Amino acid sequence: HAMAEQIARSGTVLGQYWLKNYIPYINYMWDELAAAAWIDPSFITAEREYYLDVNIERGPNYGDTLTWPERDKPNLTGTPAHVLMDLNREKFNQFFINLMNSPTPKPTP
């Protein structure tokens, strides 16, 4: 919540929106972490390779993920995925706060 308040103090529309919609213990930043790791892989300090499957059957378990290490993988698998296990939280937090506090870029013609 302290991060949300710090972002809201920037006065940006995005910062105000994020504070209004931030819900502690529900807003895990999965997408933000994945995007940040893509932009700067040094945010990630530990990762593992797992085989991954996603439940795409409509119902209460839709979107659930299943993972297996090499030794436990089922016979039908694809390429292993890099699963992020730990990160430099201070570095990520500062990056995210700076990004959220930045002014909205102007559209290019």
Side-chain angles (χ1 to χ4, degrees):
H1 193 72
M3 180 192 283
E5 288 176 344
Q6 186 175 354
I7 291 167
R9 281 194 300 270
S10 72
T12 65
V13 173
L14 181 58
Q16 297 300 316
Y17 174 85
W18 201 72
L19 179 63
K20 179 181 175 188
N21 293 286
Y22 173 80
I23 303 169
Y25 308 109
I26 293 177
N27 285 61
Y28 301 106
M29 299 175 70
W30 307 123
D31 295 337
E32 293 85 350
L33 287 170
W38 182 72
I39 292 168
D40 183 353
S42 71
F43 288 122
I44 305 309
T45 58
E47 66 178 78
R48 293 186 185 155
E49 277 195 350
Y50 282 102
Y51 290 87
L52 175 73
D53 196 10
V54 178
N55 182 351
I56 59 171
E57 294 182 24
R58 295 288 179 192
N61 297 322
Y62 179 77
D64 285 355
T65 57
L66 301 169
T67 59
W68 302 273
E70 175 71 34
R71 71 178 186 277
D72 298 329
K73 71 179 182 173
N75 289 335
L76 297 174
T77 59
T79 305
H82 292 267
V83 178
L84 311 178
M85 302 302 290
D86 203 0
L87 75 147
N88 181 330
R89 186 179 302 259
E90 184 177 317
K91 183 176 179 179
F92 169 77
N93 287 352
Q94 193 57 55
F95 171 79
F96 188 75
I97 290 166
N98 289 343
L99 184 63
M100 296 294 281
N101 287 345
S102 297
T104 303
K106 302 280 186 229
T108 55

XYZ file of all heavy atoms in Angstrom, residues 37-99:
527
model
N 10.776 -7.967 -16.148
C 11.838 -8.949 -16.405
C 12.199 -8.980 -17.881
O 13.358 -9.224 -18.241
C 11.402 -10.334 -15.933
N 11.230 -8.744 -18.735
C 11.498 -8.698 -20.168
C 12.301 -7.447 -20.506
O 13.232 -7.491 -21.307
C 10.173 -8.723 -20.928
C 10.329 -8.725 -22.405
C 10.766 -9.758 -23.192
C 10.041 -7.636 -23.281
N 10.764 -9.373 -24.502
C 10.326 -8.075 -24.591
C 9.573 -6.344 -23.095
C 10.158 -7.265 -25.703
C 9.401 -5.532 -24.203
C 9.692 -5.994 -25.482
N 11.964 -6.320 -19.885
C 12.679 -5.064 -20.122
C 14.091 -5.127 -19.558
O 15.050 -4.695 -20.194
C 11.901 -3.881 -19.501
C 10.600 -3.664 -20.274
C 12.742 -2.609 -19.485
C 9.624 -2.728 -19.580
N 14.220 -5.665 -18.343
C 15.522 -5.722 -17.677
C 15.628 -7.032 -16.890
O 15.155 -7.116 -15.759
C 15.683 -4.531 -16.728
C 17.035 -4.483 -16.048
O 17.841 -5.441 -16.198
O 17.302 -3.501 -15.342
N 16.214 -8.072 -17.479
C 16.306 -9.371 -16.815
C 17.067 -9.340 -15.486
O 16.937 -10.266 -14.684
C 17.050 -10.246 -17.831
C 16.861 -9.572 -19.140
C 16.753 -8.098 -18.837
N 17.802 -8.278 -15.212
C 18.561 -8.233 -13.953
C 17.654 -8.052 -12.737
O 18.120 -8.172 -11.606
C 19.628 -7.137 -13.999
O 19.037 -5.855 -13.941
N 16.361 -7.777 -12.936
C 15.428 -7.749 -11.803
C 15.321 -9.139 -11.165
O 15.072 -9.264 -9.979
C 14.022 -7.319 -12.236
C 13.905 -5.870 -12.594
C 13.474 -5.483 -13.844
C 14.207 -4.877 -11.683
C 13.353 -4.150 -14.191
C 14.096 -3.534 -12.008
C 13.672 -3.177 -13.272
N 15.485 -10.173 -11.974
C 15.282 -11.541 -11.507
C 16.582 -12.078 -10.916
O 17.625 -12.062 -11.558
C 14.822 -12.440 -12.674
C 13.574 -11.844 -13.333
C 14.583 -13.866 -12.197
C 12.450 -11.500 -12.378
N 16.490 -12.577 -9.688
C 17.676 -13.092 -9.005
C 17.661 -14.611 -8.896
O 18.681 -15.200 -8.553
C 17.808 -12.473 -7.602
O 16.629 -12.772 -6.848
C 18.002 -10.962 -7.690
N 16.528 -15.249 -9.178
C 16.456 -16.715 -9.163
C 15.331 -17.164 -10.084
O 14.271 -16.542 -10.140
C 16.209 -17.231 -7.751
N 15.591 -18.227 -10.818
C 14.580 -18.803 -11.695
C 14.809 -20.298 -11.787
O 15.881 -20.801 -11.438
C 14.603 -18.175 -13.085
C 15.862 -18.461 -13.876
C 15.806 -17.845 -15.270
O 16.014 -16.630 -15.384
O 15.568 -18.594 -16.230
N 13.770 -21.014 -12.205
C 13.863 -22.461 -12.416
C 13.176 -22.789 -13.727
O 12.307 -22.054 -14.182
C 13.159 -23.220 -11.288
C 13.824 -23.079 -9.957
C 13.139 -23.976 -8.937
N 13.722 -23.730 -7.635
C 13.100 -23.939 -6.501
N 11.872 -24.418 -6.493
N 13.684 -23.702 -5.353
N 13.571 -23.915 -14.298
C 12.885 -24.391 -15.498
C 11.837 -25.415 -15.087
O 12.128 -26.360 -14.354
C 13.875 -25.041 -16.468
C 14.588 -24.052 -17.331
C 15.279 -24.702 -18.528
O 15.361 -25.944 -18.594
O 15.738 -23.943 -19.382
N 10.613 -25.195 -15.548
C 9.513 -26.119 -15.293
C 8.754 -26.335 -16.591
O 8.722 -25.471 -17.468
C 8.520 -25.532 -14.278
C 8.967 -25.613 -12.846
C 9.479 -24.500 -12.201
C 8.859 -26.792 -12.132
C 9.880 -24.559 -10.871
C 9.250 -26.866 -10.807
C 9.757 -25.746 -10.185
O 10.153 -25.808 -8.875
N 8.133 -27.484 -16.680
C 7.181 -27.719 -17.749
C 5.855 -27.176 -17.249
O 5.512 -27.320 -16.079
C 7.114 -29.215 -18.090
C 8.379 -29.651 -18.766
C 9.486 -30.055 -18.019
C 8.491 -29.623 -20.151
C 10.666 -30.417 -18.636
C 9.680 -29.985 -20.778
C 10.759 -30.382 -20.012
O 11.920 -30.727 -20.632
N 5.126 -26.525 -18.120
C 3.975 -25.742 -17.712
C 2.765 -26.108 -18.558
O 2.881 -26.330 -19.760
C 4.316 -24.253 -17.906
C 3.268 -23.215 -17.671
C 3.010 -23.064 -16.178
C 3.728 -21.874 -18.238
N 1.614 -26.156 -17.912
C 0.352 -26.335 -18.623
C -0.664 -25.392 -17.992
O -0.557 -25.048 -16.817
C -0.134 -27.779 -18.518
C -1.221 -28.122 -19.530
O -1.473 -27.300 -20.450
O -1.819 -29.195 -19.409
N -1.615 -24.960 -18.787
C -2.648 -24.039 -18.314
C -4.005 -24.671 -18.591
O -4.259 -25.175 -19.687
C -2.557 -22.668 -19.035
C -3.661 -21.739 -18.567
C -1.191 -22.045 -18.811
N -4.887 -24.642 -17.607
C -6.232 -25.170 -17.749
C -7.054 -24.187 -18.576
O -7.272 -23.045 -18.164
C -6.863 -25.366 -16.369
C -8.253 -25.948 -16.434
O -8.845 -26.063 -17.499
N -8.787 -26.320 -15.290
N -7.512 -24.624 -19.748
C -8.317 -23.754 -20.605
C -9.772 -24.215 -20.694
O -10.530 -23.722 -21.505
C -7.699 -23.626 -22.017
C -7.573 -24.984 -22.692
C -6.372 -22.912 -21.951
C -7.187 -24.918 -24.160
N -10.155 -25.169 -19.832
C -11.551 -25.600 -19.781
C -12.344 -24.587 -18.979
O -11.953 -24.220 -17.869
C -11.660 -26.983 -19.146
C -11.020 -28.072 -19.976
C -11.180 -29.447 -19.351
O -12.132 -29.641 -18.569
O -10.347 -30.310 -19.641
N -13.463 -24.121 -19.535
C -14.297 -23.137 -18.848
C -14.809 -23.741 -17.547
O -15.234 -24.882 -17.502
C -15.474 -22.713 -19.717
C -15.055 -21.983 -20.960
C -14.548 -20.603 -20.616
N -14.121 -19.911 -21.821
C -13.446 -18.812 -21.805
N -13.079 -18.254 -20.674
N -13.089 -18.222 -22.909
N -14.727 -22.959 -16.494
C -15.190 -23.413 -15.190
C -14.388 -22.751 -14.093
O -13.589 -21.839 -14.348
N -14.573 -23.203 -12.859
C -13.919 -22.530 -11.728
C -12.395 -22.638 -11.722
O -11.732 -21.845 -11.073
C -14.523 -23.215 -10.499
C -15.061 -24.513 -11.000
C -15.434 -24.303 -12.434
N -11.840 -23.606 -12.452
C -10.384 -23.767 -12.477
C -9.745 -23.188 -13.734
O -8.556 -23.386 -13.977
C -10.011 -25.246 -12.339
C -10.469 -25.805 -11.023
O -10.407 -25.139 -9.997
N -10.963 -27.034 -11.039
N -10.539 -22.453 -14.526
C -10.034 -21.864 -15.763
C -8.845 -20.951 -15.461
O -8.898 -20.109 -14.573
C -11.141 -21.056 -16.453
C -10.701 -20.403 -17.733
C -10.576 -21.141 -18.899
C -10.407 -19.051 -17.785
C -10.174 -20.559 -20.078
C -10.007 -18.448 -18.961
C -9.893 -19.207 -20.103
O -9.481 -18.621 -21.278
N -7.760 -21.149 -16.182
C -6.572 -20.315 -16.011
C -5.575 -20.840 -14.998
O -4.477 -20.310 -14.892
N -5.943 -21.876 -14.250
C -4.987 -22.445 -13.300
C -3.777 -22.989 -14.054
O -3.901 -23.493 -15.170
C -5.612 -23.600 -12.509
C -6.574 -23.131 -11.443
O -6.688 -21.907 -11.239
O -7.212 -23.991 -10.813
N -2.625 -22.876 -13.446
C -1.415 -23.410 -14.066
C -0.927 -24.624 -13.292
O -1.073 -24.705 -12.073
C -0.289 -22.361 -14.112
O -0.030 -21.907 -12.791
C -0.664 -21.197 -15.003
N -0.378 -25.548 -14.035
C 0.252 -26.732 -13.462
C 1.699 -26.716 -13.909
O 1.999 -26.384 -15.057
C -0.432 -28.004 -13.974
C -1.926 -28.123 -13.686
C -2.517 -29.274 -14.476
C -2.157 -28.316 -12.202
N 2.603 -27.060 -13.013
C 4.030 -27.084 -13.362
C 4.660 -28.371 -12.875
O 4.238 -28.942 -11.858
C 4.780 -25.893 -12.735
O 4.637 -25.948 -11.326
C 4.273 -24.569 -13.266
N 5.662 -28.816 -13.624
C 6.400 -30.014 -13.262
C 7.886 -29.791 -13.502
O 8.268 -29.244 -14.543
C 5.994 -31.204 -14.139
C 4.553 -31.540 -14.098
C 3.922 -32.361 -13.213
C 3.543 -31.077 -15.001
N 2.581 -32.440 -13.507
C 2.322 -31.658 -14.602
C 3.549 -30.224 -16.096
C 1.132 -31.419 -15.266
C 2.357 -29.985 -16.752
C 1.171 -30.578 -16.342
N 8.733 -30.259 -12.587
C 10.165 -30.265 -12.891
C 10.453 -31.405 -13.879
O 9.586 -32.257 -14.131
C 10.813 -30.530 -11.529
C 9.775 -31.246 -10.739
C 8.441 -30.751 -11.249
N 11.634 -31.428 -14.427
C 12.029 -32.426 -15.420
C 11.695 -33.849 -14.965
O 11.148 -34.640 -15.711
C 13.533 -32.298 -15.703
C 14.110 -33.335 -16.630
C 13.672 -33.170 -18.086
O 13.494 -32.030 -18.527
O 13.510 -34.204 -18.766
N 12.002 -34.169 -13.718
C 11.831 -35.552 -13.239
C 10.372 -35.989 -13.136
O 10.077 -37.171 -13.134
C 12.537 -35.735 -11.905
C 11.872 -35.025 -10.760
C 12.566 -35.273 -9.413
N 11.809 -34.696 -8.346
C 11.843 -33.420 -7.965
N 12.659 -32.598 -8.591
N 11.090 -32.976 -6.989
N 9.432 -35.048 -13.042
C 8.018 -35.385 -12.840
C 7.127 -35.055 -14.029
O 5.915 -35.237 -13.954
C 7.469 -34.621 -11.625
C 8.166 -34.984 -10.340
O 8.611 -36.143 -10.200
O 8.279 -34.095 -9.464
N 7.702 -34.603 -15.113
C 6.881 -34.123 -16.234
C 6.076 -35.266 -16.857
O 6.520 -36.411 -16.886
C 7.741 -33.438 -17.286
C 8.620 -34.391 -18.071
C 9.428 -33.664 -19.114
C 10.236 -34.694 -19.888
N 10.918 -34.142 -21.000
N 4.882 -34.955 -17.358
C 4.089 -35.961 -18.068
C 4.710 -36.262 -19.425
O 5.604 -35.545 -19.888
C 2.719 -35.309 -18.211
C 2.892 -33.882 -17.881
C 4.191 -33.706 -17.182
N 4.232 -37.306 -20.070
C 4.792 -37.709 -21.363
C 4.571 -36.661 -22.448
O 5.420 -36.476 -23.306
C 4.204 -39.049 -21.806
C 4.726 -40.182 -20.961
O 5.805 -40.087 -20.379
N 3.952 -41.248 -20.854
N 3.445 -35.980 -22.435
C 3.152 -34.976 -23.461
C 3.497 -33.602 -22.901
O 2.741 -33.031 -22.123
C 1.677 -35.021 -23.855
C 1.209 -36.320 -24.486
C -0.301 -36.287 -24.683
C 1.912 -36.551 -25.816
N 4.648 -33.107 -23.273
C 5.052 -31.779 -22.805
C 5.682 -31.009 -23.950
O 6.083 -31.579 -24.947
C 6.084 -31.867 -21.660
O 7.229 -32.584 -22.130
C 5.511 -32.540 -20.439
N 5.786 -29.730 -23.754
C 6.439 -28.866 -24.732
C 7.798 -28.454 -24.205
O 8.478 -29.189 -23.491
N 8.169 -27.247 -24.531
C 9.441 -26.686 -24.107
C 9.329 -26.211 -22.662
O 8.307 -25.631 -22.292
C 9.791 -25.493 -25.019
O 9.768 -25.944 -26.364
C 11.149 -24.926 -24.683
N 10.352 -26.433 -21.845
C 10.256 -25.923 -20.468
C 10.216 -24.396 -20.447
O 10.760 -23.727 -21.317
C 11.523 -26.455 -19.790
C 12.444 -26.832 -20.888
C 11.609 -27.107 -22.100
N 9.547 -23.868 -19.435
C 9.417 -22.420 -19.259
C 10.327 -21.964 -18.132
O 10.583 -22.713 -17.189
C 7.968 -22.068 -18.931
N 10.802 -20.740 -18.233
C 11.578 -20.134 -17.154
C 10.581 -19.541 -16.157
O 9.824 -18.635 -16.506
C 12.504 -19.042 -17.684
C 13.596 -19.577 -18.537
N 14.826 -19.906 -18.031
C 13.642 -19.872 -19.850
C 15.583 -20.368 -18.994
N 14.889 -20.354 -20.118
N 10.597 -20.051 -14.956
C 9.687 -19.584 -13.914
C 10.485 -18.705 -12.956
O 11.496 -19.139 -12.394
C 9.043 -20.776 -13.164
C 8.130 -20.276 -12.060
C 8.293 -21.664 -14.153
N 10.040 -17.473 -12.805
C 10.741 -16.517 -11.955
C 10.455 -16.847 -10.495
O 9.307 -16.930 -10.077
C 10.274 -15.099 -12.274
C 10.261 -14.737 -13.763
C 9.748 -13.330 -13.955
C 11.618 -14.925 -14.378
N 11.509 -17.048 -9.711
C 11.350 -17.473 -8.318
C 11.654 -16.364 -7.316
O 11.121 -16.364 -6.226
C 12.263 -18.676 -8.036
C 12.018 -19.869 -8.946
S 10.341 -20.510 -8.885
C 10.304 -21.238 -7.271
N 12.522 -15.442 -7.681
C 12.873 -14.363 -6.754
C 13.353 -13.169 -7.563
O 13.751 -13.304 -8.718
C 13.967 -14.821 -5.791
C 13.986 -14.012 -4.501
O 13.145 -13.092 -4.349
O 14.842 -14.281 -3.650
N 13.295 -12.003 -6.942
C 13.702 -10.802 -7.635
C 14.351 -9.827 -6.672
O 14.224 -9.953 -5.460
C 12.499 -10.127 -8.304
C 11.535 -9.366 -7.389
C 10.972 -8.189 -8.152
C 10.425 -10.256 -6.922
N 15.035 -8.864 -7.266
C 15.578 -7.752 -6.503
C 14.416 -6.791 -6.286
O 14.121 -5.949 -7.127
C 16.717 -7.087 -7.277
C 17.349 -5.943 -6.527
O 16.700 -5.268 -5.733
N 18.618 -5.717 -6.807
N 13.731 -6.976 -5.177
C 12.495 -6.238 -4.905
C 12.720 -4.729 -4.869
O 11.934 -3.961 -5.408
C 11.886 -6.717 -3.594
C 10.532 -6.117 -3.303
C 9.986 -6.661 -2.004
N 9.874 -8.099 -2.030
C 8.735 -8.752 -2.242
N 7.628 -8.084 -2.435
N 8.714 -10.068 -2.251
N 13.802 -4.305 -4.241
C 14.073 -2.859 -4.146
C 14.260 -2.249 -5.536
O 13.712 -1.191 -5.840
C 15.306 -2.608 -3.287
C 15.605 -1.150 -3.049
C 16.811 -0.977 -2.127
O 16.918 -1.700 -1.132
O 17.624 -0.096 -2.446
N 15.010 -2.936 -6.386
C 15.244 -2.441 -7.739
C 13.944 -2.416 -8.543
O 13.652 -1.435 -9.236
C 16.285 -3.322 -8.443
C 16.662 -2.856 -9.824
C 17.757 -3.720 -10.403
C 18.108 -3.254 -11.805
N 19.179 -4.052 -12.398
N 13.152 -3.481 -8.434
C 11.871 -3.516 -9.143
C 10.941 -2.417 -8.643
O 10.312 -1.713 -9.433
C 11.184 -4.876 -9.001
C 9.767 -4.845 -9.481
C 9.479 -4.863 -10.832
C 8.718 -4.752 -8.577
C 8.164 -4.789 -11.281
C 7.403 -4.687 -9.015
C 7.127 -4.713 -10.369
N 10.813 -2.272 -7.325
C 9.914 -1.269 -6.763
C 10.275 0.136 -7.246
O 9.400 0.907 -7.624
C 9.929 -1.311 -5.237
C 9.212 -2.515 -4.687
O 8.566 -3.271 -5.410
N 9.338 -2.725 -3.387
N 11.565 0.455 -7.239
C 11.977 1.789 -7.680
C 11.679 1.989 -9.161
O 11.207 3.038 -9.577
C 13.459 2.020 -7.389
C 13.858 3.465 -7.530
C 13.022 4.378 -6.628
O 12.950 4.178 -5.421
N 12.377 5.367 -7.207
N 11.938 0.968 -9.961
C 11.631 1.022 -11.394
C 10.140 1.261 -11.611
O 9.740 2.130 -12.394
C 12.069 -0.289 -12.064
C 11.607 -0.440 -13.477
C 12.260 0.200 -14.516
C 10.511 -1.243 -13.772
C 11.829 0.049 -15.830
C 10.074 -1.398 -15.078
C 10.736 -0.747 -16.103
N 9.312 0.498 -10.903
C 7.870 0.604 -11.081
C 7.354 1.964 -10.628
O 6.541 2.589 -11.315
C 7.162 -0.528 -10.324
C 5.697 -0.600 -10.622
C 5.242 -1.101 -11.825
C 4.773 -0.154 -9.702
C 3.895 -1.162 -12.117
C 3.413 -0.210 -9.972
C 2.977 -0.722 -11.184
N 7.826 2.432 -9.494
C 7.407 3.742 -8.993
C 7.797 4.837 -9.981
O 6.989 5.703 -10.321
C 7.988 4.011 -7.593
C 7.308 3.103 -6.567
C 7.849 5.477 -7.204
C 8.010 3.043 -5.223
N 9.030 4.794 -10.471
C 9.477 5.800 -11.456
C 8.630 5.748 -12.725
O 8.254 6.784 -13.275
C 10.948 5.599 -11.805
C 11.867 5.969 -10.676
O 11.483 6.657 -9.727
N 13.090 5.485 -10.736
N 8.339 4.547 -13.181
C 7.534 4.391 -14.391
C 6.120 4.932 -14.185
O 5.596 5.674 -15.021
C 7.479 2.914 -14.787
C 6.763 2.588 -16.080
C 7.470 3.232 -17.264
C 6.693 1.082 -16.254
